Amino acid sequence: MESKSDLNIVILNKNEEFSPLLPNTLKELGYRAQYSAESLLQADLVFMDEASAYQWLNLLLKTKKDALQIFLPFIVVLNKDLDAERWLDLGCDDVLSKGEAQQTITKVKMLANLVNKFKFQIDKMSSTLKVLNTKIAYVDSDTGLSNMIPFLEEIKRALAISHRRSANLAILHVYLQIHDKNTFIMGSAHTDGLLQVLEERLSACVRDSDIVARLHENEFIIALLDIRKPEDAAAVSNKIIESFAKPFVKDGHENTITINIGISVFPENGSDAKVLLKEADLAMHLARAHGQNTYQYSMPPFNKQVDIQSQTSKSLRNAIVNNEFHMVYQPIVNIMDNSIVGAEGLLRWVFPNGERVLPTEIFNLAEETNQTISVTEWVLKMACRQIKIWHERELTKLKISINISRQILQEKYFSLTVSDILTKTGLSPKYLEFEISEKWLLENIDYSQLFLKQLKNLGVKIAIDSVGESYASLDYLSLFEVDFLKISKAFIHNILTDANNYARVEAIVKRANHCNIQVIAVGIETEEQLQALQKLGCHEWQGYYFSKPLHPEDFSLFLRSKR
């Protein structure tokens, strides 16, 4: 609240009719008063004798009206009480008697405190309005994202940092179109609520350190900071396109989103923020000329690689639609009685002409085009459906094991996808097992711990795959809640002829047993290998010695033959 000295009090005493009582009272209360009409327009509280009121009252009332002030200045006329009602009717705020000392002291205290309190509220409201005005100027009201004013400021700072570090920075100009039954509807009242959803999906495709801003109604700008190479912008663009491939459903309306993205890169396209934005805009229009769901760089050499990746990305999407993908299942076997306890689901891709894509190549292509999520979702759905069918046919309560790629480990919301698929297929989570490579798990232990915890909370099983390949100390087992270790087949292949491999497998089994973790041996091809692993204390095994991966129908027949 303002101090007493900050309160602007003016006393107008035209005919010098005031007694010293009023000035002395104000002085005793710690207030200073001015006696000049020149200070009227800055006044908070005005005391006037009647002669001054006749001269200045209309001006003061007009000032209050023009300035939209509800309360200030507070006008008091001192008179003989006989004309009090008339002055109040004319617009004065209060009337003070000249003659009564105690009344003067009491009322002056009350008036000064009242005006001070009101001024405090006005100042508070002004500060709030300044904050709101700043927010309106800098933040998009529909999405909560930055608009171009702060975005440009942040880009300028980021460019300075990138220049010092000799790092790359990319600008993505994202153009979105929302369609309802193939009709372009962006900007209608129906789409207003979708903007927040669009922002959330866009932001989920980038890192927390990157910057997302809204440019226009259906255009967004993304700055990818400190990227390793210009091609990384293509990976993010593919991820965005893939993220928006699924329709949005809101208020009963199913909306499809088409996207075009233009990319500019520092330092290749320039070092000025506005130049990079212009280049990204030009590239976005180039992408629109190439059709829906495409992206283009502003640099022609990069677009040759873009066209290749775009064709690969299209091929992967078509593989799902055209049923070029299919699943095969390799039995997982109890090592003591050779009973089938589960199956590992493996993806296969066969083109209509019969050409096959190597299994390892499928996920390499998916990672390059940022379609790992959609491919993994397809695999998970098919595998869960199939194992549920076998359960319903009373072909024992088998578990199903699925591999998780490195890129999936970086997905924050993968556990939600898993939960949704389990719910839709009706499969109990205790029959689902995820295999994660030891090498990938150890790349970021903190994040891996969180990722595994989210999955374990669903009730699924976790297996660490390719154990031994990284030659890491098994002390890391205490950091993760896992159920199985899968020993790399590289150690199984020559376990009988390589003493070091035998010792390595023996150490893994002992450590796993100590941690109450079961061990699965992979790639067993001979009876001798099987016996050696039985002797070492493994629990389960896989390999061509028992069965190759089988199509679902063949797997069903194989199950029946083993009952």
Side-chain angles (χ1 to χ4, degrees), residues 315-325 371 374-375 378:
S315 297
L316 276 171
R317 283 195 291 270
N318 289 341
I320 296 176
V321 175
N322 299 333
N323 294 317
E324 295 171 13
F325 283 164
Q371 295 190 78
S374 58
V375 172
W378 187 91

Side-chain angles (χ1 to χ4, degrees), residues 1-53:
M1 190 177 293
E2 296 194 30
S3 67
K4 293 181 178 182
S5 61
D6 290 331
L7 194 63
N8 295 320
I9 299 176
V10 175
I11 298 177
L12 298 180
N13 189 13
K14 185 173 183 180
N15 293 334
E16 299 184 355
E17 295 179 0
F18 288 177
S19 69
L21 179 61
L22 177 62
N24 290 340
T25 301
L26 290 171
K27 187 175 181 180
E28 289 173 7
L29 294 174
Y31 295 106
R32 290 199 303 266
Q34 301 180 65
Y35 296 85
S36 170
E38 295 178 359
S39 304
L40 274 179
L41 296 182
Q42 288 78 43
D44 300 314
L45 178 58
V46 181
F47 293 98
M48 300 183 289
D49 63 2
E50 289 180 278
S52 300

Side-chain angles (χ1 to χ4, degrees), residues 171-425:
I171 301 293
L172 274 56
H173 188 136
V174 182
Y175 178 84
L176 300 172
Q177 285 187 303
I178 303 177
H179 304 263
D180 186 353
K181 296 181 180 179
N182 298 320
T183 302
F184 177 58
I185 61 169
M186 188 68 186
S188 72
H190 166 58
T191 61
D192 291 344
L194 278 175
L195 287 171
Q196 188 66 36
V197 181
L198 296 180
E199 179 274 323
E200 290 173 359
R201 196 168 287 194
L202 265 181
S203 297
C205 293
V206 299
R207 302 163 300 180
D208 292 339
S209 58
D210 297 325
I211 308 168
V212 183
R214 189 181 180 198
L215 180 59
H216 299 302
E217 184 178 66
N218 58 331
E219 296 178 45
F220 295 81
I221 298 290
I222 300 173
L224 305 177
L225 310 183
D226 199 20
I227 57 176
R228 291 176 298 172
K229 55 187 186 298
E231 292 84 352
D232 290 345
V236 175
S237 297
N238 272 316
K239 187 175 183 179
I240 292 171
I241 292 171
E242 185 64 25
S243 174
F244 283 87
K246 296 179 181 178
F248 288 79
V249 179
K250 182 171 177 59
D251 300 330
H253 293 266
E254 183 174 287
N255 307 280
T256 57
I257 312 295
T258 58
I259 294 182
N260 295 105
I261 302 173
I263 304 169
S264 63
V265 179
F266 166 83
E268 283 82 353
N269 291 120
S271 57
D272 180 78
K274 291 184 178 179
V275 170
L276 290 171
L277 287 169
K278 182 179 179 181
E279 290 292 324
D281 178 64
L282 292 172
M284 182 273 290
H285 284 89
L286 181 62
R288 291 184 67 185
H290 277 69
Q292 297 176 342
N293 299 322
T294 59
Y295 63 91
Q296 288 286 305
Y297 283 86
S298 59
M299 300 169 290
F302 282 101
N303 288 328
K304 293 180 181 178
Q305 182 63 27
V306 168
D307 292 339
I308 295 171
Q309 288 189 337
S310 179
Q311 187 59 43
T312 302
S313 179
K314 186 177 180 181
S315 297
L316 276 171
R317 283 195 291 270
N318 289 341
I320 296 176
V321 175
N322 299 333
N323 294 317
E324 295 171 13
F325 283 164
H326 67 270
M327 296 291 294
V328 294
Y329 300 90
Q330 185 173 41
I332 300 174
V333 188
N334 183 295
I335 205 164
M336 299 308 297
D337 60 13
N338 282 341
S339 62
I340 299 175
V341 295
E344 180 177 358
L346 302 165
L347 178 62
R348 297 292 184 263
W349 184 3
V350 182
F351 289 115
N353 62 7
E355 183 181 350
R356 296 175 180 270
V357 180
L358 291 173
T360 53
E361 191 63 23
I362 297 174
F363 278 96
N364 287 339
L365 292 172
E367 286 196 11
E368 288 174 6
T369 58
N370 261 290
Q371 295 190 78
T372 306
I373 281 289
S374 58
V375 172
T376 302
E377 281 187 28
W378 187 91
V379 169
L380 191 54
K381 286 177 185 175
M382 294 301 106
C384 289
R385 285 175 187 170
Q386 186 58 61
I387 208 75
K388 183 66 176 177
I389 290 171
W390 285 330
H391 287 182
E392 290 171 349
R393 292 177 182 175
E394 297 183 354
L395 296 173
T396 71
K397 296 298 184 181
L398 302 175
K399 67 177 179 178
I400 183 68
S401 187
I402 300 295
N403 278 281
I404 291 180
S405 71
R406 180 183 190 177
Q407 199 170 38
I408 292 294
L409 271 174
Q410 300 168 1
E411 293 296 327
K412 297 179 182 178
Y413 307 111
F414 182 66
S415 61
L416 298 179
T417 300
V418 175
S419 177
D420 182 58
I421 291 174
L422 287 171
T423 300
K424 289 178 178 177
T425 59

Side-chain angles (χ1 to χ4, degrees), residues 462-464 467 474 476-486 508-520 537-539:
I462 301 295
I464 300 180
V467 174
L474 293 177
Y476 73 80
L477 290 177
S478 62
L479 303 175
F480 304 106
E481 186 181 352
V482 298
D483 304 282
F484 299 93
L485 299 184
K486 299 192 77 170
I508 292 171
V509 174
K510 285 183 177 179
R511 185 59 183 267
N513 287 334
H514 178 75
C515 297
N516 199 28
I517 299 172
Q518 296 194 32
V519 178
I520 305 173
C538 288
H539 303 85

